[in-house]
Amino acid sequence: MNTPMPHGWRHWRLERRTDGLAWLTFDRAGAAVNALSAEVMAELAAVLDALQADPPAGLVIHSGKAAGFIAGADIDEFAELNSPQQAQALVERGWRLFDRLAAVPYPTLALIHGHCLGGGLELALACRYRIAVDQPGTSLALPEVMLGIFPGWGGMRRLPAVIGAPAALDMMLTGRPADARRAAALGLVDARVPARLAEAAAAQQVRSGKPPRRARGMAGWLGRWPLKLLVARRAHRQIAARDPQGHYPAAPAIVTLWSRHDGNALRAPDVVQRILTSDTARNLLRVFRLQERLKANGKPAAGARPASHVHVVGAGTMGGDIAAWCALKGLTVTLQDQDAARIAPAIGRAAELHARKLKDPHAARAASDRLIPDPDGAGVARADVVIEAITEQAEAKQALYRALQPRMKPDALLATNTSSLSLAALRDGLAQPGQLVGIHFFNPVAKMPLVEVVQAGPDELGAQARACAFVGQIGKLPLPVRDAPGFLVNAVLAPYMLEAMRCVDAGLAPETVDLAMTDFGMPMGPLELADTVGLDIAMAAGRQLAGQDEPPRCLAERLARGELGRKTGRGFYAWHDGKARKNNASAPPPGLAQRLVQPLVERAAQLVPDGVVADADLADAGVIFGTGFAPFTGGPLHYRATAGPTSAAGHAAPAPSNP
């Protein structure tokens, strides 16, 4: 007979079974996911008190939430850190509790399904054993570095001991998750099992008497003195190469805490205080919350049926990659173009994407099988969402819509991926204008998380909300925007890229201009970005968005020579195998980064009162996730508000004279 133990805890349920095992269920009260708040951890300490008084034969810790095991620490408590003493106390609370869990005399096991992140994985590492349920969504990670902090509750000590220093540092310095398959391959879990066998496998493992997993061979030796110092030096060099300006101090702090303090942050209170109370941590926490707000836009209405079939018209780079992504995310996709030969390259790229993302050959094959070439457009009649991704010519798009609408299901969405045309103009003359909505992806589709969802005028059919739900369904971040030239992202990029080109006209090398912005924290410079987008598109955007009668001379000259950027192999740079070939850059002149970023910030600020986005937070979210704007700043408008006028708008660097 199984006996639940009544202790009056709100978040934990303890059950004693006849085989002597105790099963501890974490089900945080009043929350959709499990997070480790102060109250939750105080109750866990009380659970350990009860088990200390009457030890079980073994303990299995699992989750009562369908969403997953534990999503990590309570983010709100990090946001409330106002003093070094509070930061130190927060680290100490988790370190002491998980050390206590690791030291109990009976075997312990974490049975993991769904997300097991941050403090959740640190709790699991404090157990003797771990089993992962092999199902979609199971994900183990220490992503604290992405919030500008470090795993301070034992993860920096225990993860390297379990899987070896190189693999552990990779996980901690990138925040990269491991699914059940990879976790088993790393040795992070003792086994991965199907859901139907999970409880039986957990009971068997916790009674097995096997020693806990430890890194062996060279992986184990690299975590020992003095080899760990060599590993640490190499890691510091790699971090410095990726972040030469030191915008993200948590990464080197993790290496230092592991190599010099055995992963125990309590031995380095100065590091704890410096990292946990830094502006970077506060701003990255802000970015995390902005991301969660965008995700909330993608939640479907109660009772709404998710899309199951998508039809994409246009098998070029954007259309083909949108189709490939939708198939990756489990939807049936029909892809239409003028003939099968035009569709074939998209099918090939899709197979590469599916193999790269899914790893499992059977899953990759199944995803590719969901993508069906459809030159005749038979899938239109069955599709829940029809996405148009053809040439940027209004007349061609409108003719296509008139042909599509009579064949579509009455409740299907018709979406355009236009990046520059007015949605209101595209709707003109349609039998059902409210059926058309903008769903604007960014290139490359597989890497860019943001999708702008565009609405023009009243939304009687709820098309924008339904389109946002579809975007959320395929794992992207939907940003509702109003129909306006360039929407949000392209509208802020156009003046930014044009200012960079003016600097080239004034005599600066493209490499120097781009270096100023990568040093600022951008993922790539504005001229490399213009090459990637296409200089012909940059020209059109500049005319439309910035009102430029005369384009920058450097742009006009390249267009006259047919140098359109990456797609022709030459623009501001020569391109080879998808990479820009650059000369060594000279040091940017003082103030150049501020001069370049100023028009972007000013344009973003203008779009909020214009109603293109609902508020400044959404403007920041869109620019961060749509352009890669330096996340450590918290977004362009937050940067302007907190950095002050000198840093944000900047004393514009004087235009250098021509040599």
Side-chain angles (χ1 to χ4, degrees):
M1 180 179 178
N2 300 330
T3 308
M5 309 299 292
H7 289 284
W9 301 317
R10 296 184 64 234
H11 309 292
W12 300 90
R13 296 193 304 273
L14 183 62
E15 177 187 345
R16 298 273 193 165
R17 297 192 176 177
T18 53
D19 58 4
L21 297 183
W23 288 72
L24 181 62
T25 304
F26 182 19
D27 192 358
R28 189 182 183 192
V33 298
N34 285 331
L36 295 166
S37 66
E39 182 180 61
V40 163
M41 296 180 77
E43 283 193 3
L44 179 56
V47 171
L48 295 180
D49 289 341
L51 294 175
Q52 182 177 342
D54 184 12
L59 174 67
V60 177
I61 303 175
H62 66 136
S63 167
K65 303 289 189 189
F69 184 64
I70 303 173
D74 188 326
I75 293 296
D76 290 337
E77 294 183 1
F78 280 102
E80 294 167 1
L81 295 179
N82 294 315
S83 70
Q85 294 76 19
Q86 288 177 321
Q88 186 79 3
L90 186 145
V91 173
E92 185 169 357
R93 182 179 73 207
W95 177 272
R96 305 280 185 217
L97 180 61
F98 291 172
D99 250 13
R100 183 181 176 191
L101 174 62
V104 298
Y106 44 85
T108 54
L109 180 143
L111 179 55
I112 298 163
H113 77 276
H115 48 240
C116 176
L117 309 176
L121 182 53
E122 292 185 287
L123 184 151
L125 286 165
C127 294
R128 185 179 301 181
Y129 309 114
R130 289 158 297 282
I131 285 180
V133 178
D134 195 358
Q135 63 184 31
T138 293
S139 176
L140 291 77
L142 291 177
E144 286 86 349
V145 71
M146 300 172 73
L147 295 177
I149 57 177
F150 50 79
W153 292 349
M156 290 184 291
R157 170 184 286 181
R158 295 190 178 97
L159 185 63
V162 171
I163 67 173
L169 287 174
D170 179 70
M171 286 189 70
M172 292 189 292
L173 297 178
T174 65
R176 187 178 297 125
D179 61 12
R181 176 184 292 269
R182 176 156 174 74
L186 287 170
L188 179 53
V189 298
D190 297 88
R192 58 184 179 97
V193 299
R196 68 181 187 281
L197 302 178
E199 288 204 8
Q204 182 179 1
Q205 181 73 33
V206 81
R207 288 195 301 260
S208 69
K210 293 180 180 179
R213 281 184 173 266
R214 290 291 180 265
R216 301 186 182 279
M218 183 55 69
W221 282 105
L222 289 174
R224 301 179 186 180
W225 192 275
L227 293 180
K228 72 186 308 181
L229 293 183
L230 299 178
V231 175
R233 284 196 199 106
R234 183 170 181 268
H236 278 302
R237 285 197 300 269
Q238 291 173 334
I239 292 167
R242 290 195 301 263
D243 182 23
Q245 304 302 314
H247 293 309
Y248 299 93
I254 288 171
V255 178
T256 297
L257 291 169
W258 167 72
S259 60
R260 297 185 184 178
H261 304 286
D262 194 26
N264 184 353
L266 297 179
R267 296 179 183 173
D270 57 322
V271 176
V272 172
Q273 296 161 15
R274 175 169 56 85
I275 298 300
L276 294 191
T277 61
S278 67
D279 288 340
T280 296
R282 278 190 286 270
N283 287 340
L284 291 179
L285 178 60
R286 167 181 165 77
V287 172
F288 172 80
R289 287 175 156 165
L290 294 177
Q291 182 179 26
E292 293 301 297
R293 183 174 174 190
L294 293 178
K295 286 181 179 178
N297 290 333
K299 294 185 184 296
R305 180 174 56 85
S308 61
H309 186 153
V310 176
H311 184 81
V312 179
V313 184
T317 298
M318 285 300 295
D321 290 357
I322 292 168
W325 184 264
C326 291
L328 177 75
K329 292 300 178 179
L331 284 81
T332 298
V333 184
T334 42
L335 179 58
Q336 180 180 353
D337 212 308
Q338 294 176 1
D339 53 53
R342 292 176 182 264
I343 299 173
I347 299 297
R349 291 197 311 275
E352 294 174 3
L353 172 71
H354 299 156
R356 186 172 70 249
K357 289 285 188 180
L358 295 174
K359 311 298 183 189
D360 180 355
H362 297 292
R365 179 71 262 171
S368 294
D369 287 346
R370 289 192 290 270
L371 178 53
I372 304 163
D374 185 17
D376 297 326
V380 173
R382 301 188 299 274
D384 303 301
V385 181
V386 176
I387 300 176
E388 166 271 306
I390 66 171
T391 182
E392 288 287 89
Q393 295 179 1
E395 296 79 5
K397 290 179 184 289
Q398 289 174 316
L400 175 64
Y401 304 151
R402 288 192 292 269
L404 289 172
Q405 279 194 323
R407 301 165 57 201
M408 291 171 56
K409 295 192 297 187
D411 60 344
L413 278 175
L414 176 59
T416 174
N417 186 54
T418 184
S419 60
S420 60
L421 299 177
S422 164
L423 187 68
L426 291 177
R427 284 179 167 185
D428 189 37
L430 295 185
Q432 298 181 60
Q435 192 178 28
L436 180 65
V437 66
I439 300 183
H440 179 217
F441 291 80
F442 295 91
N443 191 28
V445 172
K447 291 185 178 179
M448 297 301 292
L450 189 81
V451 175
E452 291 176 315
V453 181
V454 189
Q455 177 62 29
D459 188 13
E460 296 91 349
L461 301 179
Q464 189 174 44
R466 292 170 58 208
C468 284
F470 165 71
V471 170
Q473 181 185 342
I474 60 172
K476 297 292 186 181
L477 301 175
L479 175 69
V481 297
R482 184 178 61 79
D483 186 27
F487 314 134
L488 171 71
V489 172
N490 286 346
V492 304
L493 284 179
Y496 167 63
M497 291 190 289
L498 288 170
E499 187 65 26
M501 294 174 195
R502 292 190 191 101
C503 289
V504 174
D505 281 353
L508 286 179
E511 290 86 352
T512 299
V513 174
D514 279 354
L515 179 61
M517 293 317 300
T518 54
D519 281 353
F520 178 82
M522 298 297 203
M524 69 171 63
L527 299 171
E528 184 178 352
L529 177 62
D531 267 3
T532 303
V533 170
L535 299 188
D536 52 340
I537 295 173
M539 169 75 93
R543 283 176 172 164
Q544 181 184 22
L545 303 176
Q548 298 297 310
D549 295 327
E550 290 294 327
R553 185 179 68 255
C554 61
L555 176 61
E557 290 173 351
R558 284 168 172 80
L559 290 174
R561 294 193 297 264
E563 297 174 357
L564 306 184
R566 179 177 175 178
K567 57 189 172 186
T568 61
R570 183 172 292 275
F572 285 98
Y573 302 104
W575 289 79
H576 182 70
D577 290 336
K579 294 184 178 179
R581 291 182 171 178
K582 300 181 181 180
N583 298 319
N584 291 330
S586 58
L592 179 58
Q594 284 71 34
R595 172 185 172 179
L596 292 168
V597 82
Q598 181 178 354
L600 184 155
V601 173
E602 289 180 347
R603 185 73 175 120
Q606 179 184 345
L607 294 174
V608 176
D610 287 352
V612 175
V613 287
D615 54 49
D617 282 352
L618 283 181
D620 277 345
V623 178
I624 291 169
F625 293 107
T627 75
F629 190 93
F632 76 92
T633 67
L637 301 186
H638 182 75
Y639 171 65
R640 185 178 74 159
T642 57
T646 300
S647 297
H651 296 303
S657 58
N658 286 317

